Amino acid sequence: MKDPLLIREFQGQPDTHERDQDSWMLILTLDGTGRLQANNQTEDIRPFSVLGIRPEANLVTSRTASWRGIQVLFRPKTQWLAWLYWPERSSGITMLQLDEDDVEELHKQLQEAMAYQQSSQLRGLAMAVNLLERFILQCDSHFQLHQQAVDPRIQRVLLEIELNLHKPL
C-alpha cells in the first residue's frame, strides 16, 4: 500500500490486492451479502456489518453481484489497536454486526473521509485520518455496549497476546 490511507467504495467485491504486511483493512457492508474465505472457513458477510482484517489474515473474497460497501486500507496508530479488538470470526478477522441507524452514520463518516482523502485541500489527509479514528472509536463503543461483561484484565491479556503473536512466548 503506497498511501497511508486508502478509502473507496466497492460493488461486488472489495479489492484485497493492495494489502501489505503492515496494512489493516476495514470493510463496511452496506447492501447485499458478501463471501469471505479465511483459514479454510467460509463466512457470509451480511448487511450492516464491519469486518476488521489484520495484516496476518489470509483471506479470499468472492464476488457477489449484490455486495456493496466501503473498504478502508490503513496502518493503525498504536493507540487504535485496543479499539480494534472485536469478536474474532477467524484468525486475524473480526466482525461487528451493527444496526441500520449506526451504519448510516458510519457510512456518512467514511464518505466524508474519502472526500478529504481525495481532495487537494490543505490537511485533507489529516482530516480523513481523524474521521477514520472517529469511525473506529464508534465501532468499538458499539462493541463495548453490546458485549457481555468480561473482566478487563482478561481483555488486556488477550490483547497483549494477540499483538505479540509473532514473538515467542
Side-chain angles (χ1 to χ4, degrees), residues 22-55:
D22 299 320
S23 298
W24 286 55
M25 181 185 288
L26 295 175
I27 299 174
L28 173 64
T29 298
L30 302 170
D31 295 316
T33 302
R35 179 151 294 146
L36 176 80
Q37 184 174 3
N39 308 313
N40 298 321
Q41 293 179 312
T42 300
E43 184 85 40
D44 286 333
I45 311 304
R46 299 178 311 199
F48 316 132
S49 63
V50 179
L51 285 175
I53 302 164
R54 294 190 298 268

Side-chain angles (χ1 to χ4, degrees), residues 105-116:
E105 172 67 24
L106 293 171
H107 181 209
K108 287 177 187 175
Q109 283 180 23
L110 287 182
Q111 284 181 313
E112 188 177 355
M114 189 169 30
Y116 277 119

